[in-house]
Amino acid sequence: MSKTFSDLGLKQPINDALIDLGYENPTLIQEKAIPQILSSDEDLKAFAQTGTGKTAAFSLPIVELANENDKNTQAIILSPTRELAVQIGKNIEDFSKYIPNLKVTTVYGGANIEQQIRQLKKGVQIVVGTPGRTVDLIRRKALKLSNTKWLVLDEADEMLNMGFKDELDQVLEATPDTKQTLLFSATFPREVEAIAKNYMHNPVEITSGQKNQGSDNVTHEFYQVTEKTRYAALKRIADVNPNIYAIVFCRTRRETQEIADKLIQDGYNADSLHGDLSQAQRDAVMDKFRKKNIQMLVATDVAARGLDVNNLTHVINHKLPDQIENYNHRSGRTGRAGNKGVSIALVNRKEKGKLHPIERTLKKKFIKTAIPTGKEICEIQLFHLIDKIHKSEVNTSEIDSFLPSIYEKLNDFSREELIQKFVSLEFNSFLSYYENAPDLNNISSRDREGGSSGRSSRENMTRFFINLGRKDKLNPPKLMGLINEQGINKNVEIGAIDILDTFSFFEIDREFESFTLEAFESNSPEFNGRRVNIEITKERKDRKRSRRRGGHSSNKGGFGRVRNQNNSSSDRRRNNNRGRKPRR
Ligand code: AMP
């Protein structure tokens, strides 16, 4: 029979609090760590991924053992991000709700330090903090750690990844030798082992799962893409999974914003999370994501750290991280709390080699998966729609009064015709978007990275109109020079150029469509004394519109989801004057 929390030796007020939280049985790491910490003051090294219940594993014994009548700080818990620290602080408040004199305070940067000092002055037994702010408070003598009994380093690998080595050293130095150090980490690279070696005394080791190994609940897939098909592949993955609830990981803030912008423009329910956003903006995005108002959160590794979401269907590596450990962290965001999840890597030929070392640490193989074809997507979306019709509730009282005239109007149609019409209404534009969509798995040599011939298939190019022509002494080299001067990207591919008398056309790699428009708009260049204007040609605009109306926005509107109405990314960027202006 599985153990209960009271079997682990926790007192009644804590058990009552756990019942309120709906925790019935301890997780594996809790079963191992709680009795160990309760019964011994030996240091502890625990291998635990996020999602395994590690917060309760170290917090519950501290809540059990801390002396509520002693107002000194007895436990200091360090965590890499504000979000995670807040989450831990909140968990501890929940665990100790029936122990009235036991107080916890969370301290982190970017918030009013005076207020945190006031809190500390009241006397708190448990302090949760980010490394930087904790050191700051120690220096100001507002946080006194001389009576510390427990030091917890949570996500130690991540704290070191984020460059907090000096801060960790300083906190470790500020605590007495007699303390018990509890180090929790999903991975144990050399730097974490060094901390353990230098600051811990013969630590006991416990694991939940294998060291550095991914969760059993996660399947790892890779899709082979080129730079031209990467974004299209991402969209197809979203389209073939109508109920997707995913984090899309990017390596840089810029890549994050760019991908989120494109997804939003294309009608997906997406938003971005990265370090350029203010704390309030990040909180707002995370809140929306937790409430599933956002289905795809495009994020950097660091920004997504503190996000505690248990039921992600997918983690998508738009680009693989530089460090293998980070792949582990990313994929560990799904397959949590007993759920199944899929971690997807989009890799080009060069990046494919990075999969092997990851496979070695995961002890699992990536499954090569074909990018879904338009036909597959249409089929899945169609049945998703039928399924939704099946499940939708009819509110007769609301529509009763309209029904007689509706029946009369539709009287001429047979049952089959009606079904056909309803399905077509919802589905036609989706079908037309994917009607001639290419098979992205057939990568021609021309499209291979580094092997481009300079001209690409029209599908990947956007055709622009420009208000200059031969009469303005424009020729192809000059036009190319003009484009390059806008600082779009030195690798941007320029396709066909047609110079006519008073205007011209040029093609640009679709990936850089928005950049091109925005660069021309913000630079306002002149050519031979004329103000230059560019526009996307009608053909491309129509394609976009038809997709918005039917294709992907159907995904939200027609298929029951609300099209992303928060516009939060665009609003944020406008208000911040930070990024690029959103296009209407
Ligand atoms: P953590 O790994 O600490 O981030 O926990 C992951 C999630 O599991 C959190 O949402 C916890 O609230 C939840 N959790 C932790 N322990 C238990 C438990 N024993 N029973 C049910 N849920 C739990």
Side-chain angles (χ1 to χ4, degrees):
M1 224 179 79
S2 47
K3 285 201 167 143
T4 64
F5 280 101
S6 38
D7 293 335
L8 302 184
L10 295 167
K11 56 193 173 195
Q12 201 49 44
I14 299 180
N15 285 324
D16 291 343
L18 292 174
I19 291 168
D20 291 353
L21 287 171
Y23 287 19
E24 286 174 7
N25 304 102
T27 63
L28 187 61
I29 191 79
Q30 291 163 1
E31 218 178 288
K32 291 184 178 183
I34 294 171
Q36 170 64 31
I37 305 170
L38 288 179
S39 63
S40 153
D41 55 11
E42 284 170 300
D43 289 344
L44 181 78
K45 239 170 98 180
F47 299 84
Q49 312 247 352
T50 43
T52 52
K54 64 184 168 59
T55 312
F58 60 74
S59 305
L60 289 174
I62 293 175
V63 172
E64 170 80 29
L65 297 171
N67 180 355
E68 62 172 320
N69 300 316
D70 173 358
K71 286 197 161 186
N72 285 308
T73 298
Q74 297 162 44
I76 171 80
I77 300 168
L78 292 183
S79 102
T81 63
R82 165 194 159 136
E83 287 79 17
L84 195 58
V86 169
Q87 187 65 41
I88 296 170
K90 182 159 180 324
N91 282 348
I92 295 177
E93 265 173 30
D94 289 340
F95 300 149
S96 60
K97 70 192 246 202
Y98 297 120
I99 310 175
N101 294 329
L102 192 62
K103 302 286 179 212
V104 55
T105 284
T106 309
V107 295
Y108 44 81
N112 187 326
I113 196 163
E114 297 302 332
Q115 209 175 336
Q116 293 173 358
I117 292 173
R118 278 197 296 278
Q119 285 292 326
L120 291 172
K121 277 201 176 134
K122 288 185 196 161
V124 281
Q125 291 90 351
I126 304 174
V127 174
V128 188
T130 50
R133 179 54 61 98
T134 303
V135 167
D136 203 350
L137 289 164
I138 294 172
R139 278 208 206 105
R140 291 176 189 229
K141 303 202 175 355
L143 178 59
K144 298 193 179 73
L145 296 180
S146 48
N147 292 301
T148 306
K149 291 186 186 152
W150 301 278
L151 165 68
V152 181
L153 303 175
D154 187 29
E155 306 212 349
D157 50 351
E158 204 49 38
M159 287 198 276
L160 293 172
N161 264 347
M162 290 170 73
F164 285 131
K165 167 93 176 57
D166 288 348
E167 286 79 359
L168 290 198
D169 286 341
Q170 288 173 55
V171 177
L172 282 153
E173 295 292 349
T175 51
D177 279 347
T178 49
K179 71 180 176 294
Q180 182 177 21
T181 302
L182 312 171
L183 185 150
F184 281 72
S185 202
T187 59
F188 275 73
R190 241 189 3 237
E191 300 80 4
V192 179
E193 291 292 1
I195 292 263
K197 189 160 168 268
N198 295 339
Y199 289 103
M200 297 170 83
H201 309 290
N202 300 322
V204 174
E205 282 191 16
I206 58 171
T207 69
S208 77
Q210 296 275 307
K211 285 184 200 177
N212 293 0
Q213 194 176 316
S215 153
D216 280 344
N217 289 333
V218 182
T219 312
H220 301 265
E221 298 178 350
F222 82 92
Y223 290 71
Q224 183 143 353
V225 297
T226 66
E227 285 326 295
K228 291 196 192 338
T229 62
R230 194 184 290 272
Y231 175 66
L234 173 65
K235 286 198 304 181
R236 289 196 185 187
I237 291 166
D239 287 344
V240 88
N241 292 288
N243 292 324
I244 194 165
Y245 182 43
I247 303 183
V248 179
F249 280 102
C250 296
R251 282 171 12 145
T252 62
R253 293 168 187 192
R254 188 182 161 133
E255 181 193 334
T256 305
Q257 192 62 58
E258 228 177 274
I259 298 301
D261 281 352
K262 285 210 249 181
L263 287 170
I264 294 165
Q265 271 186 13
D266 286 341
Y268 291 86
N269 214 344
D271 213 332
S272 61
L273 184 70
H274 55 71
D276 277 351
L277 307 179
S278 72
Q279 191 58 53
Q281 290 168 335
R282 276 198 274 169
D283 288 346
V285 175
M286 289 207 234
D287 194 45
K288 280 193 206 128
F289 187 57
R290 280 194 199 100
K291 290 180 178 149
K292 293 202 175 176
N293 292 339
I294 297 167
Q295 280 186 282
M296 282 197 284
L297 183 70
V298 190
T300 54
D301 291 280
V302 171
R305 270 294 71 212
L307 193 57
D308 181 36
V309 180
N310 279 340
N311 43 1
L312 291 185
T313 57
H314 292 77
V315 159
I316 302 177
N317 293 266
H318 180 258
K319 293 260 176 82
L320 282 173
D322 287 327
Q323 286 168 328
I324 296 174
E325 288 83 30
N326 276 348
Y327 179 85
N328 257 341
H329 275 297
R330 288 178 176 187
S331 60
R333 318 291 306 177
T334 186
R336 296 174 60 159
N339 299 319
K340 298 266 177 225
V342 182
S343 173
I344 289 176
L346 302 181
V347 290
N348 65 27
R349 273 165 200 276
K350 278 184 229 152
E351 291 162 343
K352 220 174 128 189
K354 289 185 174 182
L355 297 178
H356 300 303
I358 298 176
E359 286 178 331
R360 277 197 291 277
T361 58
L362 289 174
K363 300 203 169 47
K364 274 188 180 175
K365 287 266 175 222
F366 277 89
I367 302 164
K368 180 166 185 186
T369 311
I371 302 170
T373 62
K375 187 162 179 279
E376 285 162 344
I377 291 169
C378 288
E379 210 172 299
I380 286 188
Q381 289 282 0
L382 185 56
F383 283 102
H384 180 67
L385 167 67
I386 305 297
D387 226 32
K388 288 194 73 158
I389 294 176
H390 233 268
K391 286 185 191 147
S392 67
E393 279 180 27
V394 177
N395 190 343
T396 37
S397 63
E398 295 278 316
I399 57 168
D400 258 0
S401 59
F402 304 106
L403 285 176
S405 44
I406 295 174
Y407 290 145
E408 201 184 316
K409 266 195 178 296
L410 299 176
N411 207 12
D412 293 343
F413 298 111
S414 68
R415 177 177 178 271
E416 283 70 27
E417 281 170 333
L418 275 179
I419 293 175
Q420 284 163 11
K421 278 194 179 290
F422 274 108
V423 169
S424 305
L425 185 71
E426 284 286 343
F427 211 60
N428 271 356
S429 24
F430 207 94
L431 282 173
S432 72
Y433 176 64
Y434 273 119
E435 194 181 6
N436 295 316
D439 182 351
L440 299 183
N441 299 292
N442 292 333
I443 304 158
S444 74
S445 56
R446 197 171 53 171
D447 281 345
R448 269 180 210 150
E449 290 73 27
S452 168
S453 66
R455 291 286 184 273
S456 312
S457 74
R458 303 252 302 130
E459 169 65 16
N460 295 320
M461 304 299 272
T462 295
R463 191 166 157 85
F464 281 89
F465 160 91
I466 183 163
N467 66 331
L468 303 171
R470 267 185 226 110
K471 285 195 171 145
D472 302 290
K473 300 198 169 33
L474 187 73
N475 58 27
K478 283 188 182 157
L479 177 54
M480 286 175 81
L482 181 66
I483 296 166
N484 288 332
E485 278 164 20
Q486 307 316 312
I488 300 159
N489 181 308
K490 64 181 186 331
N491 296 320
V492 67
E493 191 173 331
I494 303 171
I497 290 179
D498 297 320
I499 308 281
L500 304 172
D501 268 359
T502 52
F503 57 88
S504 308
F505 297 100
F506 62 91
E507 288 181 347
I508 289 269
D509 185 340
R510 223 178 108 182
E511 294 267 319
F512 296 94
E513 177 184 296
S514 319
F515 272 152
T516 308
L517 267 182
E518 283 149 19
F520 273 89
E521 205 175 292
S522 57
N523 297 342
S524 307
E526 291 198 351
F527 185 84
N528 287 345
R530 276 193 73 187
R531 169 85 194 272
V532 179
N533 280 316
I534 65 162
E535 266 180 43
I536 296 178
T537 57
K538 194 173 171 302
E539 173 201 353
R540 169 89 179 105
K541 268 196 223 151
D542 283 352
R543 258 196 286 158
K544 277 175 92 93
R545 242 182 252 136
S546 102
R547 257 172 27 219
R548 284 240 178 84
R549 261 200 317 264
H552 298 140
S553 59
S554 249
N555 217 352
K556 287 72 201 169
F559 285 48
R561 282 182 220 143
V562 184
R563 202 174 120 57
N564 191 1
Q565 301 203 332
N566 56 55
N567 265 341
S568 50
S569 275
S570 330
D571 292 344
R572 279 200 313 264
R573 283 192 303 282
R574 252 201 316 270
N575 296 340
N576 262 2
N577 203 13
R578 194 173 29 73
R580 298 170 287 122
K581 233 171 60 189
R583 280 178 44 220
R584 295 273 141 224

